[in-house]
Amino acid sequence: MDAAAQVKSQLFEMEMYSDLFSKMQELCWRKCIAHSKEEELSVGEQSCTDRCVSKYLEAHLQVGEILKEQSQQPQQ
């Protein structure tokens, strides 16, 4: 892979991670924090956010593994 292709690939990966974190932040914010009026997160909001992020990342990894397996299977 030449340098230009490598840079393009790295930029694409950065965009994908940026999109992942943006969607995760939006989803977990709406689910756990959106109605909070306090300056700091409560224990419940912190716990909700922690679980939300964990589940989101786990689901993302599982989907990635499934797509990877499917792409490696011979085309029928």
Side-chain angles (χ1 to χ4, degrees), residues 2-74:
D2 68 348
Q6 190 173 9
V7 169
K8 187 175 180 179
S9 175
Q10 290 172 342
L11 287 173
F12 179 74
E13 187 174 352
M14 285 177 56
E15 288 175 16
M16 295 300 294
Y17 277 113
S18 178
D19 186 53
L20 166 76
F21 288 116
S22 177
K23 287 179 180 178
M24 181 178 59
Q25 183 270 331
E26 182 180 332
L27 175 78
C28 293
W29 178 270
R30 275 189 281 124
K31 181 177 180 179
C32 301
I33 305 170
H35 304 293
S36 179
K37 303 210 184 324
E38 300 297 320
E39 198 170 292
E40 294 184 15
L41 297 177
S42 69
V43 173
E45 291 166 336
Q46 290 176 17
S47 179
C48 179
T49 303
D50 185 49
R51 283 191 313 272
C52 182
V53 168
S54 179
K55 287 179 181 181
Y56 193 93
L57 291 176
E58 181 64 31
H60 180 76
L61 290 173
Q62 288 179 357
V63 169
E65 286 297 317
I66 291 168
L67 292 175
K68 181 180 173 183
E69 290 172 8
Q70 289 179 350
S71 71
Q72 292 175 347
Q73 292 177 355

